[in-house]
């Protein structure tokens, strides 16, 4: 049964690869013709996306250092594998579910950007008018990757790796995509109600926090037999440093431009982190 599950997973990956080969691509898709594209905004958003991705090894070291020595590798891999799984899901249909043509204010049309069709070097004026849609999609991909990884601390050492992969896939489709669409899409239900979520306080942190609580409640109390000794405290400090650095891209990048809002977010991010450390 276990072998069958992995065969099915591999077969799905092969299908996605074949789709990538047969999907038509416009030769001009990555030729910038939009005069409103800001090269400064493009450079900053590429940098911000890289900084957000840096948070993945940050989470990995942060959680990995706090578990028992025998569970360090599996715990760290739970964070790293999100970069692979969610990246593929995002390209195939995740971006469409989140930012595709609106369906009832709840979810996007999975056909809009299926396999990143029409996601190229020119802007989408409803989503980000001064940067290529491809850069916007990649920046948002990093948010989608980070969110399920944040949940892993609540059930570290207590779930099968294959079960975690299934959970992460379902969470991204059933929870993250609709919530992000409702909040961040111009036609989303929450956005039209006036809800403002500048850098994922609702979409990322509230959703991952509630999911983590639900997971902890479902799994029940941990065993109290024997003392729990963190495997590697320097790992925790390294993870904290990487998360702090990455959060500059996470928050300041949410301005989607190299402007005063980004500068203010950058300043507030460092100040808030410093106060949190001292507290």
């Amino acid at each position: 049964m276990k072998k069958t599950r992995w065969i099915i997973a591999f077969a799905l990956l092969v299908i996605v690869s074949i789709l990538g080969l047969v999907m038509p691509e416009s030769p001009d898709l990555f030729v910038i013709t939009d005069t409103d594209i800001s090269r400064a905004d493009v450079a900053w958003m590429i940098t911000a996306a890289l900084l957000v991705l840096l948070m993945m090894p940050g989470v990995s070291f942060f959680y990995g250092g706090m578990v028992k020595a025998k569970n360090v590798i599996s715990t760290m891999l739970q964070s790293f594998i999100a970069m692979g799984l969610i990246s593929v899901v995002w390209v195939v249909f995740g971006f469409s579910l989140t930012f595709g043509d609106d369906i009832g204010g709840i979810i996007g049309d999975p056909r809009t950007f299926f396999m990143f069709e029409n996601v190229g070097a020119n802007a989408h004026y409803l989503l980000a008018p001064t940067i290529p849609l491809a850069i916007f999609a990649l920046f948002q991909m990093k948010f989608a990757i980070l969110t399920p990884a944040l949940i892993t601390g609540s059930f570290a050492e207590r779930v099968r790796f294959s079960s975690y992969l299934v959970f992460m896939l379902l969470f991204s489709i059933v929870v993250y995509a609709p919530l992000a669409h409702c909040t961040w899409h111009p036609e989303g239900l929450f956005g039209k109600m006036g809800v403002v979520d500048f850098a994922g306080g609702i979409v990322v942190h509230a959703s991952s926090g509630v999911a983590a609580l639900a997971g902890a409640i479902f799994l029940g109390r941990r065993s109290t037999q024997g003392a729990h000794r963190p495997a590697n405290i320097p790992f925790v400090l390294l993870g904290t440093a990487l998360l702090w650095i990455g959060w500059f891209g996470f928050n300041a990048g949410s301005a989607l431009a190299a402007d005063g809002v980004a500068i203010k977010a950058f300043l507030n991010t460092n100040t808030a982190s410093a106060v949190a450390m001292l507290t």
Side-chain angles (χ1 to χ4, degrees), residues 6-237:
W6 290 115
I7 291 175
I8 293 173
F10 182 73
L12 291 174
L13 190 60
V14 170
I15 292 171
V16 170
S17 301
I18 294 172
L19 283 173
L21 289 173
V22 301
M23 286 289 290
E25 179 182 336
S26 169
D28 299 326
L29 188 61
F30 286 93
V31 176
I32 298 179
T33 58
D34 194 333
T35 57
D36 291 330
I37 294 289
S38 167
R39 296 187 182 278
D41 292 350
V42 171
W44 164 236
M45 292 309 301
I46 291 175
T47 304
L50 291 172
L51 288 172
V52 179
L53 189 63
L54 187 65
M55 299 177 78
M56 294 308 302
V59 172
S60 182
F61 278 108
F62 186 78
Y63 288 156
M66 290 192 288
V67 298
K68 297 176 182 177
K70 65 177 182 178
N71 296 314
V72 170
I73 294 177
S74 61
T75 300
M76 295 183 73
L77 189 57
Q78 284 181 348
S79 297
F80 266 91
I81 197 63
M83 292 190 287
L85 179 61
I86 303 303
S87 291
V88 173
V89 171
W90 191 254
V91 168
V92 178
F93 58 81
F95 182 56
S96 286
L97 289 178
T98 308
F99 292 102
D101 295 339
D102 178 65
I103 300 178
I106 302 296
I107 195 69
D109 188 335
R111 299 169 297 179
T112 307
F113 303 116
F114 180 72
M115 293 295 292
F116 261 31
E117 186 176 11
N118 297 320
V119 178
N122 288 301
H124 187 293
Y125 285 90
L126 285 177
L127 300 176
T130 65
I131 61 175
L133 180 59
I135 297 299
F136 175 79
L138 289 170
F139 179 69
Q140 292 294 339
M141 176 195 289
K142 312 312 178 189
F143 280 57
I145 290 171
L146 179 65
T147 305
L150 293 175
I151 304 170
T152 60
S154 70
F155 47 66
E157 307 175 299
R158 299 197 290 169
V159 296
R160 292 179 180 273
F161 190 72
S162 58
S163 300
Y164 167 66
L165 292 178
V166 174
F167 166 81
M168 184 165 48
L169 177 63
L170 293 176
F171 173 85
S172 298
I173 296 172
V174 178
V175 178
Y176 183 86
L179 184 57
H181 181 87
C182 287
T183 308
W184 284 336
H185 192 279
E187 299 298 322
L189 178 64
F190 298 158
K192 294 179 74 172
M193 293 170 58
V195 174
V196 176
D197 184 9
F198 177 72
I202 298 172
V203 176
V204 177
H205 304 296
S207 67
S208 61
V210 172
L213 176 62
I217 292 173
F218 176 79
L219 292 171
R221 291 181 178 273
R222 292 177 181 269
S223 172
T224 57
Q225 296 179 353
H228 178 84
R229 293 184 175 85
N232 195 317
I233 294 301
F235 273 13
V236 180
L237 297 178

